Amino acid sequence: MAKFLGCEDHDTYFTNTQRHRIVYEILARTAYGKRKRAEIGIDRLLNEGAYSAAFPLHEGPFEISTFEVDPEQLNSRQVIFQYWGRWSKWYKYQPLDHIREYFGEKIAIYFAWLGFYTAWLLPAAVMGTFVFISGIISMGTNTPAEEICSSGGSYHMCPLCEACSTWNISDICSMAKLGYLFDHPGTVFFSVFMSLWAVTFLEYWKRKNATLAHHWDCMDFQEEEERPRPEFAAMAPTMEQNPVTGVKEPYFPEKARLSRMLTGSMVIVVMLCVVMIFLVTVIMYRGIVSMMMYHTESIVLRTQAGNIANISSSMVNLALILLMGQVYTALAEQLTKWEMHRTQTQYEDAFTFKVFVFQFVNFYSSPFYVAFFKGRFVGYPGHYGKLFGMRNEDCGPGGCLIELAEQLFIIMVGKQIINNIQEFVVPKVKAWLQKRQIRAVRGSRISQEPKRWEEDYELIKCEGLFEEYLEMVLQFGFITIFVAAFPLAPLFALLNNWVEIRLDAQKFVCEYRRPVAERAQDIGVWFNILEALSHLSVIVNAFLIAFTSDFLPRLLYQYKFDSNLHGYVNFTLAHAPPSYMDGNHTQCRYKSFRDDSGNYTLFYWELLAVRLGFIIAFEHVVFLILRAIDWIVPDVPESLALKIKRERYLAKQALADNQDAVLRQATFLQAACASGADQEVEEMELEEDI
């Protein structure tokens, strides 16, 4: 200890979070029973119910008295609440060093990432808003919408159901104009922009993360001697020697674990099938609501039947998504425990994978259906495709892209609102129930002035960062994967994250017990998931523009026939085949590139070739630019790389100097010993002569 700088001041040499970690390590390694049975550590005692809680204490209250207080007299908890946790500080930079000193690196890294992500959402939100406003401004130049509105009774459209009658295309004038907001050339540019934004954001986060990890001295942190989880230690059938530490510890056969993991995978597949069943149920619900609207006398309800059904079904879908998410998270937790993962890191990685795969399908299956499958299997008059006796769904009057935008708005924004309400209300309700239970136990023995540990025990247990990361990663998927259909997604994400930072700050400072400080050098497996989503977004947006948007059909029509899109509406409407009219049906039109016999026209095949070519060109160009960005932007800033090299050089130099000093000291001692020995020999010879 004497060789370390600042060791003379025992009160300040270790920070409070370091002291917490030291105490926790002692408690975690102390045996309370037989070591052969792995009866070791406070975690297992908590798991067995011997103790109800174990936590570090907060450094005093977070409230500040009404009269003026010198900032230097505030405790650490009051400082981070005053300058970070209050709602009025929404525009301030986060005090990351103070957060790290109070909660540890793992929580500080999360808030650093959340703040960095929120700051990067600002240019994306500005660009998305600009693209949306440009769509509003250019609505008057939408020639196909003007032709629809001025067509009157020129185009009699085929019935939307078996018992429905024909209708005029002019009835959907408002939806045709509104659909242009989400389907104009600006959305193509915005898709490319967001693909580049996502990868650039991740590249610069790696630089920011490297800077923070170096600043907080956790760049080379690794949990090399991670202990077995208490649940694992309690349920493991045998004891084996750890090849790293050489200590005997609980062991579970790898073959048995793989068998359990395979069984757990089957359960995941079954739950994903349940999600698909709910999706089909929502589709049937949408069809039933549409049928009810078609049979009404109101023209407005008949023309807006698709939108009414889509909006109401999206709300039902959101409720099912949130319900299934809660059920599956609880199921995944039990499955992951049953799989008997040895360490907490292995447990968290397995749990994260299960929940994310399920939530990905849970949240994105309905938007994927609307984007790529709805309206693809409708057929044509006289040969309509059916599911369970009902005609397959077709896209609404404004096209599938506006329906996709409606779904994204309801699912994404609805989820954000519900989550924020839960994060604001649920901790307060839990804290109230906790205090009520404690008061019931105490009875009349309530002290006049409760101690610090009693006040902290009334707070709720810290629930970790899993739900926080999951919420943000799902949001990242919404603003990148389907951004071509919903350019306002980054704006809503930005507004949500401003609220999210304050809510999370207040939870950790005011409502949670203080967690044991943990070290971390990055955001872990979540970064790999973000990278996968950013690459998936390029592919999905390419297919979205090619097959769901009207951008390429209009572009090809402009190239082949008319640059101003005159006559485009008539060109996209096919005539019902004669066989359909032989069945006592009137002459009508439907949207498709087919001839009078129901066969695809040459324009359809030309358009298909253009679409496939666009996908290949879009993906290759965007991925090439992404690789260039990855190559140009180094993961570690040049100044930091030089600083690290300098520190390593000085460390080697100091080690070499220390070795030289040790060698010189050893040489001196040897010389001293040798001279002493020679002197003793001379004295002995002198004594013999005498």
Side-chain angles (χ1 to χ4, degrees):
M1 282 292 292
K3 294 182 179 180
F4 290 91
L5 186 66
C7 63
E8 62 277 358
D9 192 345
H10 293 181
D11 293 333
T12 59
Y13 181 71
F14 290 111
T15 65
N16 281 338
T17 51
Q18 288 173 335
R19 293 173 186 273
H20 294 163
R21 279 201 295 267
I22 292 170
V23 172
Y24 176 73
E25 284 295 320
I26 294 171
L27 291 174
R29 294 173 183 270
T30 301
Y32 64 87
K34 295 182 178 180
R35 287 187 175 273
K36 291 183 178 180
R37 297 180 181 177
E39 295 176 340
I40 302 170
I42 186 67
D43 289 328
R44 184 163 178 183
L45 287 170
L46 289 169
N47 189 57
E48 293 175 350
Y51 291 97
S52 59
F55 51 88
L57 298 181
H58 280 292
E59 297 181 17
F62 67 87
E63 301 95 341
I64 300 174
S65 56
T66 54
F67 57 86
E68 195 69 24
V69 180
D70 186 3
E72 294 184 358
Q73 297 178 353
L74 300 177
N75 63 50
S76 299
R77 191 183 184 192
Q78 290 172 331
V79 168
I80 58 175
F81 174 73
Q82 178 72 11
Y83 298 101
W84 177 54
R86 295 170 60 191
W87 288 96
S88 59
K89 304 299 180 183
W90 64 270
Y91 61 95
K92 296 281 190 180
Y93 286 108
Q94 297 187 94
L96 295 177
D97 285 336
H98 287 78
I99 299 170
R100 177 243 180 174
E101 290 174 4
Y102 197 80
F103 292 111
E105 288 83 2
K106 190 172 184 178
I107 292 175
I109 282 283
Y110 163 72
F111 281 106
W113 176 82
L114 181 57
F116 188 82
Y117 170 49
T118 303
W120 269 72
L121 279 175
L122 187 58
V126 170
M127 186 60 67
T129 306
F130 173 77
V131 168
F132 186 77
I133 293 174
S134 68
I136 296 175
I137 296 173
S138 59
M139 281 180 68
T141 63
N142 185 15
T143 303
E146 296 299 327
E147 289 185 352
I148 289 174
C149 293
S150 60
S151 63
S154 302
Y155 303 113
H156 293 283
M157 304 300 292
C158 293
L160 298 172
C161 65
E162 299 296 337
C164 300
S165 58
T166 59
W167 53 284
N168 295 321
I169 197 172
S170 58
D171 295 340
I172 64 168
C173 172
S174 58
M175 291 305 300
K177 290 182 176 180
L178 190 62
Y180 185 76
L181 295 177
F182 304 96
D183 191 4
H184 61 91
T187 57
V188 180
F189 161 76
F190 191 55
S191 298
V192 178
F193 172 83
M194 286 303 295
S195 297
L196 301 180
W197 173 90
V199 173
T200 309
F201 156 68
L202 293 176
E203 287 299 319
Y204 275 90
W205 164 248
K206 284 193 282 190
R207 293 165 61 87
K208 176 71 172 178
N209 185 56
T211 303
L212 288 173
H214 177 265
H215 178 58
W216 292 339
D217 193 27
C218 56
M219 204 162 198
D220 298 321
F221 168 73
Q222 288 183 349
E223 199 66 64
E224 295 178 354
E225 297 182 12
E226 194 170 0
R227 292 177 304 276
R229 295 168 48 247
E231 294 90 344
F232 177 85
M235 298 175 66
T238 60
M239 301 286 289
E240 294 286 342
Q241 188 175 15
N242 187 316
V244 177
T245 62
V247 178
K248 279 197 171 185
E249 62 179 33
Y251 176 76
F252 190 80
E254 193 66 27
K255 187 176 179 180
R257 179 183 294 109
L258 291 175
S259 175
R260 292 190 178 192
M261 291 175 67
L262 182 62
T263 305
S265 301
M266 295 301 102
V267 176
I268 295 174
V269 172
V270 171
M271 292 301 296
L272 294 180
C273 292
V274 172
V275 173
M276 294 296 105
I277 292 171
F278 277 119
L279 178 60
V280 174
T281 304
V282 171
I283 293 170
M284 295 183 66
Y285 164 84
R286 194 156 46 221
I288 293 170
V289 172
S290 298
M291 292 284 292
M292 294 172 60
M293 297 295 105
Y294 292 147
H295 286 83
T296 59
E297 300 295 329
S298 172
I299 297 177
V300 176
L301 289 178
R302 286 205 303 269
T303 56
Q304 299 298 324
N307 286 318
I308 295 172
N310 188 54
I311 292 172
S312 62
S313 65
S314 297
M315 293 180 178
V316 172
N317 192 34
L318 175 61
L320 292 175
I321 286 172
L322 296 176
L323 176 62
M324 289 297 296
Q326 294 294 326
V327 171
Y328 182 78
T329 301
L331 177 61
E333 186 176 2
Q334 296 303 319
L335 279 175
T336 311
K337 288 180 180 178
W338 181 65
E339 289 172 356
M340 293 292 288
H341 295 280
R342 175 182 169 273
T343 65
Q344 187 65 24
T345 300
Q346 294 171 346
Y347 173 86
E348 289 177 357
D349 288 347
F351 180 66
T352 299
F353 175 76
K354 287 185 183 65
V355 175
F356 177 76
V357 168
F358 177 82
Q359 293 288 40
F360 182 88
V361 177
N362 193 26
F363 275 92
Y364 299 140
S365 58
S366 184
F368 265 103
Y369 165 75
V370 174
F372 301 116
F373 297 100
K374 188 176 182 181
R376 309 293 174 191
F377 310 101
V378 178
Y380 58 95
H383 299 81
Y384 286 115
K386 294 186 178 181
L387 177 67
F388 300 123
M390 297 174 60
R391 186 190 297 183
N392 290 340
E393 279 191 306
D394 197 0
C395 294
C400 275
L401 217 58
I402 189 171
E403 292 190 20
L404 179 59
E406 290 172 353
Q407 281 223 359
L408 292 173
F409 175 80
I410 292 173
I411 294 175
M412 175 185 168
V413 178
K415 175 182 178 296
Q416 290 179 348
I417 292 173
I418 292 172
N419 280 353
N420 287 335
I421 292 174
Q422 285 180 336
E423 288 190 31
F424 182 78
V425 174
V426 171
K428 289 179 170 50
V429 173
K430 286 184 176 179
W432 178 77
L433 292 174
Q434 177 84 350
K435 291 178 182 178
R436 187 176 178 183
Q437 290 176 356
I438 294 171
R439 287 169 185 167
V441 172
R442 285 177 179 169
S444 60
R445 294 177 294 160
I446 301 177
S447 59
Q448 295 296 324
E449 190 167 333
K451 298 178 181 179
R452 178 77 262 152
W453 68 267
E454 292 178 313
E455 293 180 352
D456 285 4
Y457 185 67
E458 291 179 350
L459 302 176
I460 60 176
K461 181 183 177 182
C462 180
E463 298 175 353
L465 297 171
F466 175 79
E467 290 293 338
E468 314 300 336
Y469 274 122
L470 180 64
E471 180 183 354
M472 291 297 106
V473 168
L474 290 173
Q475 182 198 89
F476 184 83
F478 277 116
I479 68 171
T480 53
I481 295 178
F482 301 104
V483 74
F486 191 33
L488 292 179
L491 176 62
F492 287 109
L494 176 65
L495 297 175
N496 172 78
N497 288 7
W498 275 336
V499 176
E500 182 73 21
I501 291 174
R502 295 308 128 205
L503 284 173
D504 288 346
Q506 288 210 341
K507 281 195 304 185
F508 278 94
V509 177
C510 307
E511 294 163 354
Y512 281 168
R513 296 170 187 163
R514 190 175 182 178
V516 176
E518 295 182 60
R519 301 196 72 198
Q521 61 181 350
D522 51 36
I523 62 175
V525 70
W526 296 107
F527 184 83
N528 300 327
I529 295 174
L530 291 172
E531 274 194 321
L533 289 176
S534 67
H535 288 84
L536 178 64
S537 69
V538 178
I539 301 171
V540 172
N541 280 300
F543 276 89
L544 203 61
I545 296 168
F547 285 96
T548 309
S549 169
D550 270 346
F551 172 73
L552 291 182
R554 293 180 182 183
L555 196 65
L556 184 59
Y557 182 86
Q558 286 177 311
Y559 174 76
K560 292 193 65 175
F561 301 106
D562 189 288
S563 60
N564 294 317
L565 289 175
H566 292 300
Y568 177 75
V569 174
N570 182 58
F571 183 77
T572 59
L573 297 178
H575 292 274
S579 59
Y580 179 73
M581 290 180 287
D582 292 341
N584 296 325
H585 295 96
T586 59
Q587 174 64 39
C588 61
R589 310 284 293 272
Y590 64 100
K591 190 173 182 179
S592 183
F593 296 113
R594 295 177 184 266
D595 57 21
D596 291 344
S597 301
N599 299 316
Y600 287 118
T601 62
L602 178 62
F603 185 85
Y604 171 84
W605 299 109
E606 292 174 342
L607 179 60
L608 180 61
V610 170
R611 282 170 166 165
L612 295 176
F614 173 83
I615 291 172
I616 295 171
F618 184 92
E619 290 180 359
H620 279 68
V621 170
V622 174
F623 278 127
L624 180 64
I625 297 174
L626 299 186
R627 295 284 74 77
I629 293 173
D630 190 12
W631 178 70
I632 293 171
V633 181
D635 293 349
V636 179
E638 186 178 354
S639 59
L640 178 59
L642 289 173
K643 190 174 182 180
I644 293 172
K645 290 179 181 178
R646 176 66 176 168
E647 289 175 354
R648 288 176 179 172
Y649 169 77
L650 292 175
K652 289 180 181 179
Q653 193 69 26
L655 182 61
D657 293 344
N658 186 54
Q659 288 177 343
D660 290 341
V662 171
L663 287 173
R664 285 196 299 270
Q665 187 176 4
T667 305
F668 173 77
L669 290 174
Q670 287 177 356
C673 291
S675 62
D678 292 341
Q679 187 176 359
E680 288 180 0
V681 170
E682 291 176 358
E683 290 179 353
M684 289 174 64
E685 290 177 350
L686 182 60
E687 289 178 357
E688 289 177 357
D689 293 340
I690 294 172

